[in-house]
Amino acid sequence: ILFGRNLLQDFGQERQVALFMPLLEGLDGVEKMSKSLGNYIGIYEPPNDMYGKVMSISDGMIVRWFALLTDIHPDELAQLEAALARQEMNPRDAKMRLAREITALYCGDDSSNAAEEHFKRVFQRRELPGDIAEFAVPAALRGEGGIDMPALLVAAGLASGTSEARRLIAQGAVKVNGRKITALKEEGLHQGGVVQAGKIKMVRIIFS
Protein backbone atom coordinates (compact mmCIF):
# COMPACT_ATOMS: atom_id res chain seq x y z
CA ILE A 1 0.00 0.00 0.00
CA LEU A 2 2.80 2.41 0.84
CA PHE A 3 4.61 1.49 -2.36
CA GLY A 4 1.42 2.29 -4.24
CA ARG A 5 1.56 5.84 -2.90
CA ASN A 6 4.98 6.23 -4.52
CA LEU A 7 3.65 4.87 -7.81
CA LEU A 8 0.87 7.46 -7.77
CA GLN A 9 3.45 10.21 -7.42
CA ASP A 10 5.59 8.72 -10.21
CA PHE A 11 2.57 8.87 -12.53
CA GLY A 12 1.89 12.48 -11.67
CA GLN A 13 -1.05 11.79 -9.38
CA GLU A 14 -1.63 12.98 -5.87
CA ARG A 15 -0.59 10.52 -3.19
CA GLN A 16 -3.61 8.97 -1.47
CA VAL A 17 -3.99 8.59 2.27
CA ALA A 18 -3.36 5.00 3.40
CA LEU A 19 -5.49 3.90 6.33
CA PHE A 20 -4.67 0.67 8.16
CA MET A 21 -7.22 -1.01 10.42
CA PRO A 22 -6.95 -4.12 12.61
CA LEU A 23 -8.48 -7.29 11.21
CA LEU A 24 -11.71 -8.24 12.91
CA GLU A 25 -11.82 -11.82 14.11
CA GLY A 26 -15.09 -13.56 13.36
CA LEU A 27 -17.49 -15.57 15.49
CA ASP A 28 -14.88 -18.29 16.03
CA GLY A 29 -12.44 -15.80 17.57
CA VAL A 30 -9.61 -17.14 15.41
CA GLU A 31 -10.00 -16.44 11.71
CA LYS A 32 -10.82 -13.02 10.30
CA MET A 33 -14.53 -12.43 9.81
CA SER A 34 -15.41 -13.89 6.44
CA LYS A 35 -18.58 -14.95 4.67
CA SER A 36 -16.73 -17.84 3.02
CA LEU A 37 -15.73 -19.16 6.46
CA GLY A 38 -19.26 -18.76 7.82
CA ASN A 39 -18.00 -16.86 10.89
CA TYR A 40 -19.57 -13.53 10.03
CA ILE A 41 -22.51 -11.28 10.89
CA GLY A 42 -24.20 -9.65 7.92
CA ILE A 43 -25.25 -6.03 8.41
CA TYR A 44 -28.63 -6.80 6.80
CA GLU A 45 -29.38 -9.87 8.92
CA PRO A 46 -32.57 -9.93 11.01
CA PRO A 47 -32.14 -8.36 14.48
CA ASN A 48 -32.70 -11.68 16.28
CA ASP A 49 -29.95 -13.35 14.25
CA MET A 50 -27.57 -10.44 14.70
CA TYR A 51 -28.10 -10.28 18.47
CA GLY A 52 -27.83 -14.04 18.86
CA LYS A 53 -24.62 -14.25 16.85
CA VAL A 54 -22.95 -11.59 18.99
CA MET A 55 -23.95 -13.54 22.09
CA SER A 56 -22.20 -16.61 20.66
CA ILE A 57 -18.69 -15.11 20.65
CA SER A 58 -16.15 -16.14 23.26
CA ASP A 59 -15.66 -14.04 26.39
CA GLY A 60 -12.13 -13.25 25.26
CA MET A 61 -13.44 -11.31 22.24
CA ILE A 62 -15.76 -8.98 24.16
CA VAL A 63 -13.33 -6.09 24.68
CA ARG A 64 -11.92 -6.31 21.16
CA TRP A 65 -15.39 -6.23 19.59
CA PHE A 66 -16.36 -3.27 21.76
CA ALA A 67 -13.24 -1.46 20.56
CA LEU A 68 -13.68 -2.23 16.87
CA LEU A 69 -17.45 -2.29 16.43
CA THR A 70 -18.94 0.30 18.81
CA ASP A 71 -18.39 3.97 19.62
CA ILE A 72 -17.68 3.31 23.29
CA HIS A 73 -15.31 5.92 24.76
CA PRO A 74 -11.77 4.60 25.38
CA ASP A 75 -12.00 5.52 29.08
CA GLU A 76 -15.22 3.55 29.49
CA LEU A 77 -13.73 0.66 27.54
CA ALA A 78 -10.76 0.60 29.92
CA GLN A 79 -13.14 0.50 32.89
CA LEU A 80 -15.14 -2.33 31.33
CA GLU A 81 -11.97 -4.30 30.59
CA ALA A 82 -10.74 -3.82 34.16
CA ALA A 83 -14.11 -4.87 35.59
CA LEU A 84 -14.05 -8.05 33.53
CA ALA A 85 -10.46 -8.80 34.53
CA ARG A 86 -11.30 -8.37 38.24
CA GLN A 87 -14.46 -10.47 37.76
CA GLU A 88 -16.58 -7.54 38.95
CA MET A 89 -18.74 -7.85 35.85
CA ASN A 90 -20.36 -10.98 34.48
CA PRO A 91 -19.10 -11.52 30.89
CA ARG A 92 -22.69 -12.40 29.94
CA ASP A 93 -23.86 -8.91 30.94
CA ALA A 94 -21.06 -7.25 29.00
CA LYS A 95 -21.84 -9.41 25.98
CA MET A 96 -25.54 -8.53 26.17
CA ARG A 97 -24.67 -4.84 26.12
CA LEU A 98 -22.38 -5.46 23.15
CA ALA A 99 -25.10 -7.37 21.30
CA ARG A 100 -27.63 -4.65 22.09
CA GLU A 101 -25.37 -1.85 20.83
CA ILE A 102 -24.35 -3.60 17.62
CA THR A 103 -27.93 -4.58 16.80
CA ALA A 104 -29.18 -1.06 17.54
CA LEU A 105 -26.52 0.40 15.25
CA TYR A 106 -27.82 -1.49 12.21
CA CYS A 107 -31.46 -2.19 13.10
CA GLY A 108 -32.51 0.57 15.50
CA ASP A 109 -33.20 0.67 19.24
CA ASP A 110 -36.68 -0.87 19.11
CA SER A 111 -35.51 -3.86 17.09
CA SER A 112 -32.49 -4.26 19.36
CA ASN A 113 -34.64 -4.31 22.50
CA ALA A 114 -37.03 -6.80 20.91
CA ALA A 115 -34.10 -9.02 19.90
CA GLU A 116 -32.80 -8.99 23.46
CA GLU A 117 -36.19 -10.06 24.80
CA HIS A 118 -36.33 -12.80 22.16
CA PHE A 119 -32.90 -14.02 23.25
CA LYS A 120 -33.89 -14.09 26.92
CA ARG A 121 -37.08 -15.98 26.14
CA VAL A 122 -35.50 -18.59 23.89
CA PHE A 123 -32.02 -19.08 25.32
CA GLN A 124 -32.33 -18.15 28.98
CA ARG A 125 -35.86 -19.34 29.71
CA ARG A 126 -35.65 -22.13 27.11
CA GLU A 127 -38.95 -21.23 25.50
CA LEU A 128 -39.54 -21.89 21.82
CA PRO A 129 -40.45 -18.67 20.03
CA GLY A 130 -44.01 -18.45 18.81
CA ASP A 131 -42.99 -17.09 15.41
CA ILE A 132 -40.85 -19.97 14.14
CA ALA A 133 -40.86 -19.95 10.36
CA GLU A 134 -42.38 -23.01 8.71
CA PHE A 135 -40.69 -24.94 5.93
CA ALA A 136 -42.49 -27.47 3.74
CA VAL A 137 -40.12 -30.31 2.91
CA PRO A 138 -39.94 -30.94 -0.86
CA ALA A 139 -40.52 -34.49 -1.96
CA ALA A 140 -37.04 -34.53 -3.54
CA LEU A 141 -35.43 -34.43 -0.09
CA ARG A 142 -37.34 -37.45 1.16
CA GLY A 143 -35.52 -40.59 0.22
CA GLU A 144 -34.65 -44.04 1.42
CA GLY A 145 -33.01 -43.83 4.82
CA GLY A 146 -34.61 -40.53 5.78
CA ILE A 147 -34.41 -36.82 5.02
CA ASP A 148 -31.26 -35.49 3.34
CA MET A 149 -30.23 -33.15 6.18
CA PRO A 150 -27.51 -31.07 4.41
CA ALA A 151 -29.93 -30.38 1.56
CA LEU A 152 -32.71 -29.61 4.02
CA LEU A 153 -30.56 -27.11 5.95
CA VAL A 154 -29.65 -25.30 2.74
CA ALA A 155 -33.19 -25.30 1.35
CA ALA A 156 -34.61 -24.03 4.65
CA GLY A 157 -32.05 -21.22 4.87
CA LEU A 158 -30.29 -22.66 7.92
CA ALA A 159 -26.97 -22.99 6.09
CA SER A 160 -25.45 -21.05 3.22
CA GLY A 161 -24.26 -24.14 1.37
CA THR A 162 -23.80 -27.89 1.55
CA SER A 163 -20.28 -27.64 2.97
CA GLU A 164 -21.45 -25.41 5.82
CA ALA A 165 -24.41 -27.73 6.45
CA ARG A 166 -22.14 -30.77 6.68
CA ARG A 167 -19.79 -28.88 8.99
CA LEU A 168 -22.66 -27.90 11.30
CA ILE A 169 -23.83 -31.51 11.47
CA ALA A 170 -20.30 -32.80 12.15
CA GLN A 171 -19.89 -30.25 14.94
CA GLY A 172 -23.12 -31.36 16.61
CA ALA A 173 -24.69 -27.95 16.00
CA VAL A 174 -27.85 -29.33 14.38
CA LYS A 175 -30.80 -30.47 16.48
CA VAL A 176 -34.06 -32.16 15.59
CA ASN A 177 -36.71 -31.60 18.25
CA GLY A 178 -33.97 -30.77 20.75
CA ARG A 179 -31.88 -33.86 19.92
CA LYS A 180 -28.43 -33.48 18.39
CA ILE A 181 -27.90 -35.33 15.15
CA THR A 182 -24.65 -36.39 13.52
CA ALA A 183 -25.93 -38.42 10.54
CA LEU A 184 -26.52 -36.94 7.09
CA LYS A 185 -29.85 -38.77 6.86
CA GLU A 186 -32.57 -38.31 9.48
CA GLU A 187 -35.62 -40.52 9.93
CA GLY A 188 -37.11 -38.70 12.91
CA LEU A 189 -38.61 -35.87 10.89
CA HIS A 190 -41.33 -37.67 8.97
CA GLN A 191 -43.93 -36.43 11.46
CA GLY A 192 -42.58 -32.86 11.40
CA GLY A 193 -40.87 -30.99 14.20
CA VAL A 194 -38.34 -28.23 14.80
CA VAL A 195 -34.91 -28.23 13.19
CA GLN A 196 -32.29 -25.95 14.75
CA ALA A 197 -28.86 -25.08 13.30
CA GLY A 198 -26.55 -23.38 15.74
CA LYS A 199 -28.01 -21.37 18.57
CA ILE A 200 -30.32 -19.02 16.76
CA LYS A 201 -31.57 -20.47 13.46
CA MET A 202 -34.57 -22.77 13.49
CA VAL A 203 -37.56 -23.75 11.37
CA ARG A 204 -40.66 -25.83 11.92
CA ILE A 205 -40.80 -28.69 9.45
CA ILE A 206 -44.14 -29.50 7.84
CA PHE A 207 -45.16 -31.93 5.14
CA SER A 208 -47.75 -31.02 2.55
Side-chain angles (χ1 to χ4, degrees):
I1 293 175
L2 293 176
F3 185 73
R5 297 182 75 244
N6 293 332
L7 287 177
L8 286 168
Q9 185 178 38
D10 292 341
F11 281 84
Q13 299 182 36
E14 183 180 358
R15 284 185 173 187
Q16 300 298 304
V17 174
L19 181 64
F20 293 85
M21 297 289 290
L23 286 176
L24 174 66
E25 292 86 355
L27 299 173
D28 55 7
V30 179
E31 301 286 352
K32 69 176 182 179
M33 186 176 286
S34 165
K35 186 173 183 179
S36 61
L37 293 176
N39 66 347
Y40 74 106
I41 302 176
I43 61 174
Y44 295 115
E45 290 193 23
N48 291 346
D49 292 355
M50 187 176 293
Y51 189 101
K53 282 187 175 182
V54 177
M55 290 300 297
S56 74
I57 68 172
S58 66
D59 293 349
M61 294 302 298
I62 294 174
V63 173
R64 184 163 176 80
W65 275 41
F66 261 112
L68 297 180
L69 297 173
T70 75
D71 60 358
I72 187 173
H73 191 280
D75 292 344
E76 186 178 1
L77 179 62
Q79 294 173 3
L80 184 145
E81 184 174 13
L84 288 170
R86 293 193 298 264
Q87 298 184 343
E88 296 173 354
M89 173 182 285
N90 190 321
R92 179 204 60 205
D93 296 334
K95 204 180 298 184
M96 290 183 76
R97 176 185 170 185
L98 176 65
R100 189 166 57 248
E101 292 198 10
I102 290 176
T103 306
L105 178 64
Y106 294 101
C107 305
D109 290 335
D110 291 343
S111 294
S112 178
N113 292 334
E116 182 168 89
E117 178 55 33
H118 172 85
F119 182 87
K120 290 178 179 178
R121 185 173 67 253
V122 175
F123 300 105
Q124 292 184 350
R125 299 196 292 267
R126 304 294 181 183
E127 301 173 9
L128 282 177
D131 57 349
I132 300 178
E134 292 186 344
F135 177 74
V137 180
L141 300 184
R142 314 173 207 171
E144 185 177 350
I147 304 293
D148 183 336
M149 289 306 296
L152 174 64
L153 294 178
V154 175
L158 301 180
S160 60
T162 302
S163 59
E164 182 188 3
R166 288 175 177 270
R167 183 169 64 249
L168 288 170
I169 293 171
Q171 293 172 347
V174 177
K175 295 181 180 179
V176 172
N177 295 326
R179 171 179 54 85
K180 287 185 180 181
I181 66 166
T182 55
L184 299 181
K185 294 278 189 176
E186 173 58 37
E187 296 182 343
L189 266 176
H190 289 296
Q191 302 302 319
V194 175
V195 176
Q196 182 175 349
K199 292 184 176 181
I200 58 177
K201 292 185 177 182
M202 62 184 72
V203 293
R204 191 181 303 278
I205 297 300
I206 59 174
F207 293 91
S208 55

